[in-house]
Amino acid sequence: MNIEVKLDKLSGHAKDGKVGKVHKSVGDKVTTEDILFNIESNKGNMPIKATANGTIKSIEANEGDSVAIGSLLAIINGEAPEEVIEQKATSKNMNTNKTASKSSGGFNYFGGLLKPQKQQLESDITIIGGGPGGYVAAIQAAKLGANVVLVEKERVGGTCLNYGCIPTKAIVRSSEVFRELKEADKFGLHADNISVDMKKVIDRKSDIVNQLVGGIEYLLEKNNVKVIKGTGEIINKNTVFAKNNKLEATINSKNIIIATGSKTSMIPIKGIDLDNVITSKEALELDTLPEKLVIVGGGIIGMEFAFIYSSFGVDVSVVEFLENTLLACDKDVCDEINSIAKNSGIKLYTSSRVESIIKSEDDKCIVSFTEDKETKFITADKVLMAVGRQPSYKNIGLEKLNIEMDEKTKGIKVNDKMQTNIPNIYAIGDVTNIIQLAHVASHQGIVAVKNILGTETKMDYNVVPSAIFTNPEIAMVGVSESMAQKDGIDIEIGKFPFAANGKALTLGDSKGFVKIIKDKSTGKVIGGSIIGPHATDLIAEITLAIKNGLTTNEIIETIHAHPTTAESIHEAVLAAEGGALHFAE
């Protein structure tokens, strides 16, 4: 009999791919263990095996062909394996029995509910939480030969991929394109009737997230990581209990990694539970634009959303309790972004305390806050709470194990190997609250795994880049100017404005500057800040320089391509050594 080989699925959530390799030819004898094709998609190659034992009658797809889900790839003349025939017969019988039960009136709904299947599992490492710390640790451990179980209650990728970094940046990009269309005339172009279809913006964001989630799921599967989608609880130092509606698994584990991330912080103010008060998670699902938006919190999350919505034409106000927005940045960077924000129409209220949120008669919100001891009010369609995030570790069994908490960070206390006070239990990522960045969580995961598997490794936080996706972008790494002054380090500062960079001018995006900090005693670059086009990409060069102890002269002697925004780094370093070539104070 002729049996078709079709493309049933692809890595990630992709709907099409490309034939990378055809392993067999017409006339070849095959079994169900033989790989016929490799289909390239998303995170890697998807092997397609024969669906029957027999002889290949025809090959319907060639190397380089584009194929979609459901495409016919080959036809085999042979017999399907017995288990496939049995599965089809069983499925048919189940459907017949179900129909008979319904028609006889004897179908017992509650009796038909399946009880959770119970399993006993063994693992070298069990990881609770599949965010950028947990899933990276799982893949790294599996690649090093460990037997790994990963427990994730929602979707792999964690907050960063599903509700944070990636979806936010997808919407940032949509806002950038919209802004560029509105400014097309500056480039000698004309774009009429420009508008925002927020539903399509959100759909695009979701497609990107789904593609990346699927890619991670594929990588975990290819590396033989056992993934349990459910909640996890530590029973004792060697046992994790994981469950969902269909499964209850007791995992006997030599080591445990806690990677449960963080959750949105909420401040105790009246009206915070109103329907129009949202968090960043809900903001990423808004398919209609509010006319007016108040953002409570001027940190990274708050300012990123401020620029997103302002670019879309929303009337945005930011209320920040501290004396400045983005307080982790140096003052000159803060001053620059605040000036740009105000010129973009964003209203900033710093040193201001929100007292209450009141629902108005027309179903809007009235935000009451004090500024310089004066009570003020702003009306808004939506109020976005963006006052930070806090470690999430409730209901995972920490109390019964007496795992120590860090009084300073309010997270799980760990040493530089990422160990808790229980030697075989580790914690990584936001749950430690050391630095809440996805790339830090990933690196902590790798450090934890290496230590578990016998390679002594210590976590180093001295060179951690930060990226902020405002407009323009901001990035920083190493020692800041304020830190150097506080620590009494004798420094030299070099600055170069993007207004003097040819590539930035061609982009029509010349706001901001590059700032380099040099230790005078050693000549080495110890810090840097960038505000301007491509800042979040450019920071990698400064990070690499600091990590490897490069001096300003070594960077000066490195040829930078022209015309690029990277030349601004070269010029800023020159400024730290006597003066930039393409800018005069």
PDB file of all heavy atoms in Angstrom, residues 117-153:
ATOM      1  N   GLN A 117      -2.236  11.269  36.357  1.00  0.00           N
ATOM      2  CA  GLN A 117      -1.297  10.147  36.302  1.00  0.00           C
ATOM      3  C   GLN A 117      -0.152  10.413  37.275  1.00  0.00           C
ATOM      4  O   GLN A 117       0.383  11.524  37.328  1.00  0.00           O
ATOM      5  CB  GLN A 117      -0.753  10.017  34.883  1.00  0.00           C
ATOM      6  CG  GLN A 117       0.283   8.909  34.724  1.00  0.00           C
ATOM      7  CD  GLN A 117       0.941   8.944  33.360  1.00  0.00           C
ATOM      8  OE1 GLN A 117       0.626   9.789  32.536  1.00  0.00           O
ATOM      9  NE2 GLN A 117       1.857   8.034  33.125  1.00  0.00           N
ATOM     10  N   LYS A 118       0.218   9.427  38.039  1.00  0.00           N
ATOM     11  CA  LYS A 118       1.307   9.572  39.010  1.00  0.00           C
ATOM     12  C   LYS A 118       2.592   9.013  38.430  1.00  0.00           C
ATOM     13  O   LYS A 118       2.596   7.925  37.847  1.00  0.00           O
ATOM     14  CB  LYS A 118       0.958   8.876  40.325  1.00  0.00           C
ATOM     15  CG  LYS A 118      -0.256   9.489  41.039  1.00  0.00           C
ATOM     16  CD  LYS A 118      -0.498   8.844  42.390  1.00  0.00           C
ATOM     17  CE  LYS A 118      -1.749   9.402  43.062  1.00  0.00           C
ATOM     18  NZ  LYS A 118      -1.605  10.831  43.388  1.00  0.00           N
ATOM     19  N   GLN A 119       3.684   9.758  38.596  1.00  0.00           N
ATOM     20  CA  GLN A 119       4.978   9.335  38.075  1.00  0.00           C
ATOM     21  C   GLN A 119       6.061   9.512  39.129  1.00  0.00           C
ATOM     22  O   GLN A 119       5.991  10.410  39.962  1.00  0.00           O
ATOM     23  CB  GLN A 119       5.363  10.155  36.834  1.00  0.00           C
ATOM     24  CG  GLN A 119       4.641   9.767  35.568  1.00  0.00           C
ATOM     25  CD  GLN A 119       5.222  10.508  34.354  1.00  0.00           C
ATOM     26  OE1 GLN A 119       6.210  11.244  34.458  1.00  0.00           O
ATOM     27  NE2 GLN A 119       4.618  10.302  33.200  1.00  0.00           N
ATOM     28  N   GLN A 120       7.043   8.637  39.066  1.00  0.00           N
ATOM     29  CA  GLN A 120       8.261   8.760  39.868  1.00  0.00           C
ATOM     30  C   GLN A 120       9.410   8.992  38.896  1.00  0.00           C
ATOM     31  O   GLN A 120       9.633   8.190  37.990  1.00  0.00           O
ATOM     32  CB  GLN A 120       8.511   7.477  40.678  1.00  0.00           C
ATOM     33  CG  GLN A 120       7.480   7.196  41.751  1.00  0.00           C
ATOM     34  CD  GLN A 120       7.706   8.042  43.004  1.00  0.00           C
ATOM     35  OE1 GLN A 120       8.801   8.527  43.247  1.00  0.00           O
ATOM     36  NE2 GLN A 120       6.646   8.202  43.795  1.00  0.00           N
ATOM     37  N   LEU A 121      10.105  10.103  39.056  1.00  0.00           N
ATOM     38  CA  LEU A 121      11.192  10.442  38.146  1.00  0.00           C
ATOM     39  C   LEU A 121      12.508  10.593  38.894  1.00  0.00           C
ATOM     40  O   LEU A 121      12.525  10.914  40.083  1.00  0.00           O
ATOM     41  CB  LEU A 121      10.883  11.747  37.402  1.00  0.00           C
ATOM     42  CG  LEU A 121       9.592  11.789  36.567  1.00  0.00           C
ATOM     43  CD1 LEU A 121       9.382  13.202  36.024  1.00  0.00           C
ATOM     44  CD2 LEU A 121       9.647  10.787  35.435  1.00  0.00           C
ATOM     45  N   GLU A 122      13.591  10.360  38.188  1.00  0.00           N
ATOM     46  CA  GLU A 122      14.942  10.560  38.725  1.00  0.00           C
ATOM     47  C   GLU A 122      15.640  11.617  37.881  1.00  0.00           C
ATOM     48  O   GLU A 122      15.527  11.607  36.653  1.00  0.00           O
ATOM     49  CB  GLU A 122      15.744   9.255  38.676  1.00  0.00           C
ATOM     50  CG  GLU A 122      15.144   8.103  39.451  1.00  0.00           C
ATOM     51  CD  GLU A 122      15.332   8.249  40.957  1.00  0.00           C
ATOM     52  OE1 GLU A 122      16.325   8.890  41.363  1.00  0.00           O
ATOM     53  OE2 GLU A 122      14.480   7.733  41.714  1.00  0.00           O
ATOM     54  N   SER A 123      16.365  12.520  38.507  1.00  0.00           N
ATOM     55  CA  SER A 123      17.103  13.521  37.732  1.00  0.00           C
ATOM     56  C   SER A 123      18.373  13.934  38.457  1.00  0.00           C
ATOM     57  O   SER A 123      18.473  13.827  39.684  1.00  0.00           O
ATOM     58  CB  SER A 123      16.235  14.750  37.464  1.00  0.00           C
ATOM     59  OG  SER A 123      16.093  15.530  38.628  1.00  0.00           O
ATOM     60  N   ASP A 124      19.318  14.425  37.665  1.00  0.00           N
ATOM     61  CA  ASP A 124      20.531  15.013  38.245  1.00  0.00           C
ATOM     62  C   ASP A 124      20.236  16.437  38.717  1.00  0.00           C
ATOM     63  O   ASP A 124      20.712  16.869  39.759  1.00  0.00           O
ATOM     64  CB  ASP A 124      21.658  15.040  37.211  1.00  0.00           C
ATOM     65  CG  ASP A 124      22.076  13.650  36.769  1.00  0.00           C
ATOM     66  OD1 ASP A 124      22.206  12.774  37.643  1.00  0.00           O
ATOM     67  OD2 ASP A 124      22.248  13.445  35.551  1.00  0.00           O
ATOM     68  N   ILE A 125      19.437  17.148  37.895  1.00  0.00           N
ATOM     69  CA  ILE A 125      19.089  18.542  38.215  1.00  0.00           C
ATOM     70  C   ILE A 125      17.613  18.757  37.908  1.00  0.00           C
ATOM     71  O   ILE A 125      17.153  18.454  36.807  1.00  0.00           O
ATOM     72  CB  ILE A 125      19.920  19.542  37.389  1.00  0.00           C
ATOM     73  CG1 ILE A 125      21.424  19.322  37.601  1.00  0.00           C
ATOM     74  CG2 ILE A 125      19.547  20.977  37.746  1.00  0.00           C
ATOM     75  CD1 ILE A 125      22.307  20.166  36.690  1.00  0.00           C
ATOM     76  N   THR A 126      16.880  19.283  38.880  1.00  0.00           N
ATOM     77  CA  THR A 126      15.499  19.702  38.649  1.00  0.00           C
ATOM     78  C   THR A 126      15.441  21.216  38.790  1.00  0.00           C
ATOM     79  O   THR A 126      15.926  21.769  39.780  1.00  0.00           O
ATOM     80  CB  THR A 126      14.531  19.046  39.647  1.00  0.00           C
ATOM     81  OG1 THR A 126      14.569  17.624  39.461  1.00  0.00           O
ATOM     82  CG2 THR A 126      13.103  19.537  39.427  1.00  0.00           C
ATOM     83  N   ILE A 127      14.859  21.865  37.802  1.00  0.00           N
ATOM     84  CA  ILE A 127      14.802  23.323  37.767  1.00  0.00           C
ATOM     85  C   ILE A 127      13.346  23.750  37.868  1.00  0.00           C
ATOM     86  O   ILE A 127      12.502  23.289  37.092  1.00  0.00           O
ATOM     87  CB  ILE A 127      15.425  23.869  36.466  1.00  0.00           C
ATOM     88  CG1 ILE A 127      16.883  23.390  36.342  1.00  0.00           C
ATOM     89  CG2 ILE A 127      15.353  25.396  36.437  1.00  0.00           C
ATOM     90  CD1 ILE A 127      17.494  23.633  34.976  1.00  0.00           C
ATOM     91  N   ILE A 128      13.050  24.613  38.821  1.00  0.00           N
ATOM     92  CA  ILE A 128      11.696  25.143  38.968  1.00  0.00           C
ATOM     93  C   ILE A 128      11.667  26.543  38.368  1.00  0.00           C
ATOM     94  O   ILE A 128      12.238  27.482  38.920  1.00  0.00           O
ATOM     95  CB  ILE A 128      11.252  25.191  40.442  1.00  0.00           C
ATOM     96  CG1 ILE A 128      11.366  23.809  41.080  1.00  0.00           C
ATOM     97  CG2 ILE A 128       9.814  25.695  40.548  1.00  0.00           C
ATOM     98  CD1 ILE A 128      11.041  23.788  42.565  1.00  0.00           C
ATOM     99  N   GLY A 129      11.028  26.678  37.219  1.00  0.00           N
ATOM    100  CA  GLY A 129      10.958  27.956  36.517  1.00  0.00           C
ATOM    101  C   GLY A 129      11.683  27.895  35.188  1.00  0.00           C
ATOM    102  O   GLY A 129      12.872  27.561  35.139  1.00  0.00           O
ATOM    103  N   GLY A 130      10.962  28.212  34.099  1.00  0.00           N
ATOM    104  CA  GLY A 130      11.532  28.096  32.762  1.00  0.00           C
ATOM    105  C   GLY A 130      11.764  29.416  32.069  1.00  0.00           C
ATOM    106  O   GLY A 130      11.626  29.518  30.852  1.00  0.00           O
ATOM    107  N   GLY A 131      12.125  30.449  32.837  1.00  0.00           N
ATOM    108  CA  GLY A 131      12.451  31.743  32.249  1.00  0.00           C
ATOM    109  C   GLY A 131      13.856  31.748  31.667  1.00  0.00           C
ATOM    110  O   GLY A 131      14.466  30.694  31.468  1.00  0.00           O
ATOM    111  N   PRO A 132      14.428  32.935  31.395  1.00  0.00           N
ATOM    112  CA  PRO A 132      15.760  33.010  30.777  1.00  0.00           C
ATOM    113  C   PRO A 132      16.866  32.427  31.647  1.00  0.00           C
ATOM    114  O   PRO A 132      17.928  32.092  31.135  1.00  0.00           O
ATOM    115  CB  PRO A 132      15.972  34.508  30.555  1.00  0.00           C
ATOM    116  CG  PRO A 132      15.012  35.173  31.479  1.00  0.00           C
ATOM    117  CD  PRO A 132      13.840  34.262  31.599  1.00  0.00           C
ATOM    118  N   GLY A 133      16.624  32.330  32.959  1.00  0.00           N
ATOM    119  CA  GLY A 133      17.586  31.637  33.821  1.00  0.00           C
ATOM    120  C   GLY A 133      17.373  30.138  33.770  1.00  0.00           C
ATOM    121  O   GLY A 133      18.292  29.362  33.515  1.00  0.00           O
ATOM    122  N   GLY A 134      16.129  29.706  33.984  1.00  0.00           N
ATOM    123  CA  GLY A 134      15.810  28.290  34.080  1.00  0.00           C
ATOM    124  C   GLY A 134      16.014  27.512  32.807  1.00  0.00           C
ATOM    125  O   GLY A 134      16.647  26.445  32.805  1.00  0.00           O
ATOM    126  N   TYR A 135      15.505  28.021  31.674  1.00  0.00           N
ATOM    127  CA  TYR A 135      15.631  27.220  30.452  1.00  0.00           C
ATOM    128  C   TYR A 135      17.070  27.185  29.933  1.00  0.00           C
ATOM    129  O   TYR A 135      17.525  26.176  29.385  1.00  0.00           O
ATOM    130  CB  TYR A 135      14.637  27.680  29.371  1.00  0.00           C
ATOM    131  CG  TYR A 135      15.063  28.818  28.486  1.00  0.00           C
ATOM    132  CD1 TYR A 135      16.014  28.650  27.479  1.00  0.00           C
ATOM    133  CD2 TYR A 135      14.477  30.076  28.619  1.00  0.00           C
ATOM    134  CE1 TYR A 135      16.381  29.694  26.650  1.00  0.00           C
ATOM    135  CE2 TYR A 135      14.841  31.121  27.791  1.00  0.00           C
ATOM    136  CZ  TYR A 135      15.789  30.927  26.808  1.00  0.00           C
ATOM    137  OH  TYR A 135      16.157  31.967  25.989  1.00  0.00           O
ATOM    138  N   VAL A 136      17.813  28.287  30.122  1.00  0.00           N
ATOM    139  CA  VAL A 136      19.232  28.296  29.714  1.00  0.00           C
ATOM    140  C   VAL A 136      20.019  27.306  30.573  1.00  0.00           C
ATOM    141  O   VAL A 136      20.857  26.547  30.064  1.00  0.00           O
ATOM    142  CB  VAL A 136      19.824  29.711  29.822  1.00  0.00           C
ATOM    143  CG1 VAL A 136      21.358  29.670  29.723  1.00  0.00           C
ATOM    144  CG2 VAL A 136      19.261  30.603  28.725  1.00  0.00           C
ATOM    145  N   ALA A 137      19.744  27.289  31.879  1.00  0.00           N
ATOM    146  CA  ALA A 137      20.404  26.329  32.767  1.00  0.00           C
ATOM    147  C   ALA A 137      20.081  24.900  32.344  1.00  0.00           C
ATOM    148  O   ALA A 137      20.953  24.019  32.346  1.00  0.00           O
ATOM    149  CB  ALA A 137      19.968  26.567  34.215  1.00  0.00           C
ATOM    150  N   ALA A 138      18.825  24.659  31.973  1.00  0.00           N
ATOM    151  CA  ALA A 138      18.402  23.317  31.567  1.00  0.00           C
ATOM    152  C   ALA A 138      19.144  22.853  30.318  1.00  0.00           C
ATOM    153  O   ALA A 138      19.660  21.726  30.256  1.00  0.00           O
ATOM    154  CB  ALA A 138      16.893  23.293  31.325  1.00  0.00           C
ATOM    155  N   ILE A 139      19.216  23.729  29.308  1.00  0.00           N
ATOM    156  CA  ILE A 139      19.901  23.369  28.062  1.00  0.00           C
ATOM    157  C   ILE A 139      21.391  23.177  28.306  1.00  0.00           C
ATOM    158  O   ILE A 139      22.006  22.220  27.824  1.00  0.00           O
ATOM    159  CB  ILE A 139      19.647  24.445  26.988  1.00  0.00           C
ATOM    160  CG1 ILE A 139      18.167  24.430  26.591  1.00  0.00           C
ATOM    161  CG2 ILE A 139      20.516  24.199  25.764  1.00  0.00           C
ATOM    162  CD1 ILE A 139      17.760  25.591  25.693  1.00  0.00           C
ATOM    163  N   GLN A 140      21.996  24.089  29.076  1.00  0.00           N
ATOM    164  CA  GLN A 140      23.428  23.972  29.377  1.00  0.00           C
ATOM    165  C   GLN A 140      23.729  22.665  30.104  1.00  0.00           C
ATOM    166  O   GLN A 140      24.674  21.953  29.759  1.00  0.00           O
ATOM    167  CB  GLN A 140      23.874  25.152  30.236  1.00  0.00           C
ATOM    168  CG  GLN A 140      25.344  25.102  30.672  1.00  0.00           C
ATOM    169  CD  GLN A 140      26.300  25.363  29.524  1.00  0.00           C
ATOM    170  OE1 GLN A 140      26.483  26.490  29.099  1.00  0.00           O
ATOM    171  NE2 GLN A 140      26.909  24.311  29.009  1.00  0.00           N
ATOM    172  N   ALA A 141      22.919  22.342  31.109  1.00  0.00           N
ATOM    173  CA  ALA A 141      23.129  21.114  31.876  1.00  0.00           C
ATOM    174  C   ALA A 141      22.975  19.881  30.998  1.00  0.00           C
ATOM    175  O   ALA A 141      23.763  18.926  31.088  1.00  0.00           O
ATOM    176  CB  ALA A 141      22.151  21.054  33.049  1.00  0.00           C
ATOM    177  N   ALA A 142      21.953  19.898  30.138  1.00  0.00           N
ATOM    178  CA  ALA A 142      21.731  18.752  29.247  1.00  0.00           C
ATOM    179  C   ALA A 142      22.891  18.579  28.281  1.00  0.00           C
ATOM    180  O   ALA A 142      23.325  17.452  28.002  1.00  0.00           O
ATOM    181  CB  ALA A 142      20.419  18.937  28.492  1.00  0.00           C
ATOM    182  N   LYS A 143      23.418  19.676  27.765  1.00  0.00           N
ATOM    183  CA  LYS A 143      24.553  19.608  26.843  1.00  0.00           C
ATOM    184  C   LYS A 143      25.801  19.048  27.529  1.00  0.00           C
ATOM    185  O   LYS A 143      26.665  18.449  26.885  1.00  0.00           O
ATOM    186  CB  LYS A 143      24.856  20.994  26.268  1.00  0.00           C
ATOM    187  CG  LYS A 143      23.872  21.443  25.191  1.00  0.00           C
ATOM    188  CD  LYS A 143      24.277  22.778  24.609  1.00  0.00           C
ATOM    189  CE  LYS A 143      23.359  23.193  23.469  1.00  0.00           C
ATOM    190  NZ  LYS A 143      23.452  22.293  22.308  1.00  0.00           N
ATOM    191  N   LEU A 144      25.877  19.239  28.851  1.00  0.00           N
ATOM    192  CA  LEU A 144      27.021  18.722  29.614  1.00  0.00           C
ATOM    193  C   LEU A 144      26.766  17.303  30.131  1.00  0.00           C
ATOM    194  O   LEU A 144      27.556  16.778  30.907  1.00  0.00           O
ATOM    195  CB  LEU A 144      27.343  19.659  30.779  1.00  0.00           C
ATOM    196  CG  LEU A 144      27.859  21.058  30.376  1.00  0.00           C
ATOM    197  CD1 LEU A 144      28.028  21.945  31.593  1.00  0.00           C
ATOM    198  CD2 LEU A 144      29.172  20.948  29.605  1.00  0.00           C
ATOM    199  N   GLY A 145      25.655  16.699  29.700  1.00  0.00           N
ATOM    200  CA  GLY A 145      25.415  15.288  30.002  1.00  0.00           C
ATOM    201  C   GLY A 145      24.514  15.002  31.176  1.00  0.00           C
ATOM    202  O   GLY A 145      24.334  13.835  31.544  1.00  0.00           O
ATOM    203  N   ALA A 146      23.905  16.037  31.782  1.00  0.00           N
ATOM    204  CA  ALA A 146      23.054  15.811  32.949  1.00  0.00           C
ATOM    205  C   ALA A 146      21.645  15.395  32.534  1.00  0.00           C
ATOM    206  O   ALA A 146      21.161  15.748  31.458  1.00  0.00           O
ATOM    207  CB  ALA A 146      22.987  17.073  33.807  1.00  0.00           C
ATOM    208  N   ASN A 147      21.000  14.641  33.407  1.00  0.00           N
ATOM    209  CA  ASN A 147      19.591  14.288  33.251  1.00  0.00           C
ATOM    210  C   ASN A 147      18.779  15.410  33.910  1.00  0.00           C
ATOM    211  O   ASN A 147      18.854  15.608  35.120  1.00  0.00           O
ATOM    212  CB  ASN A 147      19.324  12.945  33.912  1.00  0.00           C
ATOM    213  CG  ASN A 147      17.868  12.551  33.864  1.00  0.00           C
ATOM    214  OD1 ASN A 147      17.085  13.134  33.120  1.00  0.00           O
ATOM    215  ND2 ASN A 147      17.492  11.574  34.651  1.00  0.00           N
ATOM    216  N   VAL A 148      17.990  16.151  33.117  1.00  0.00           N
ATOM    217  CA  VAL A 148      17.380  17.382  33.596  1.00  0.00           C
ATOM    218  C   VAL A 148      15.860  17.330  33.499  1.00  0.00           C
ATOM    219  O   VAL A 148      15.302  16.899  32.492  1.00  0.00           O
ATOM    220  CB  VAL A 148      17.883  18.604  32.784  1.00  0.00           C
ATOM    221  CG1 VAL A 148      17.315  19.899  33.348  1.00  0.00           C
ATOM    222  CG2 VAL A 148      19.400  18.660  32.775  1.00  0.00           C
ATOM    223  N   VAL A 149      15.199  17.805  34.568  1.00  0.00           N
ATOM    224  CA  VAL A 149      13.752  18.013  34.561  1.00  0.00           C
ATOM    225  C   VAL A 149      13.501  19.504  34.793  1.00  0.00           C
ATOM    226  O   VAL A 149      14.055  20.097  35.714  1.00  0.00           O
ATOM    227  CB  VAL A 149      13.040  17.185  35.649  1.00  0.00           C
ATOM    228  CG1 VAL A 149      11.542  17.519  35.665  1.00  0.00           C
ATOM    229  CG2 VAL A 149      13.241  15.695  35.411  1.00  0.00           C
ATOM    230  N   LEU A 150      12.665  20.095  33.936  1.00  0.00           N
ATOM    231  CA  LEU A 150      12.315  21.504  34.053  1.00  0.00           C
ATOM    232  C   LEU A 150      10.824  21.620  34.335  1.00  0.00           C
ATOM    233  O   LEU A 150      10.001  21.074  33.606  1.00  0.00           O
ATOM    234  CB  LEU A 150      12.650  22.252  32.758  1.00  0.00           C
ATOM    235  CG  LEU A 150      12.256  23.730  32.675  1.00  0.00           C
ATOM    236  CD1 LEU A 150      13.040  24.560  33.684  1.00  0.00           C
ATOM    237  CD2 LEU A 150      12.483  24.270  31.266  1.00  0.00           C
ATOM    238  N   VAL A 151      10.471  22.336  35.407  1.00  0.00           N
ATOM    239  CA  VAL A 151       9.069  22.531  35.781  1.00  0.00           C
ATOM    240  C   VAL A 151       8.707  23.993  35.545  1.00  0.00           C
ATOM    241  O   VAL A 151       9.351  24.890  36.083  1.00  0.00           O
ATOM    242  CB  VAL A 151       8.827  22.167  37.268  1.00  0.00           C
ATOM    243  CG1 VAL A 151       7.351  22.320  37.614  1.00  0.00           C
ATOM    244  CG2 VAL A 151       9.307  20.755  37.564  1.00  0.00           C
ATOM    245  N   GLU A 152       7.686  24.226  34.726  1.00  0.00           N
ATOM    246  CA  GLU A 152       7.251  25.589  34.414  1.00  0.00           C
ATOM    247  C   GLU A 152       5.729  25.659  34.450  1.00  0.00           C
ATOM    248  O   GLU A 152       5.053  24.903  33.763  1.00  0.00           O
ATOM    249  CB  GLU A 152       7.762  26.018  33.032  1.00  0.00           C
ATOM    250  CG  GLU A 152       7.151  27.298  32.480  1.00  0.00           C
ATOM    251  CD  GLU A 152       7.275  28.489  33.419  1.00  0.00           C
ATOM    252  OE1 GLU A 152       8.392  28.768  33.897  1.00  0.00           O
ATOM    253  OE2 GLU A 152       6.235  29.140  33.672  1.00  0.00           O
ATOM    254  N   LYS A 153       5.185  26.567  35.251  1.00  0.00           N
ATOM    255  CA  LYS A 153       3.733  26.614  35.451  1.00  0.00           C
ATOM    256  C   LYS A 153       2.981  27.307  34.320  1.00  0.00           C
ATOM    257  O   LYS A 153       1.781  27.104  34.148  1.00  0.00           O
ATOM    258  CB  LYS A 153       3.402  27.290  36.777  1.00  0.00           C
ATOM    259  CG  LYS A 153       3.759  28.764  36.851  1.00  0.00           C
ATOM    260  CD  LYS A 153       3.370  29.338  38.212  1.00  0.00           C
ATOM    261  CE  LYS A 153       3.702  30.820  38.310  1.00  0.00           C
ATOM    262  NZ  LYS A 153       3.324  31.388  39.618  1.00  0.00           N
TER     263      LYS A 153
END
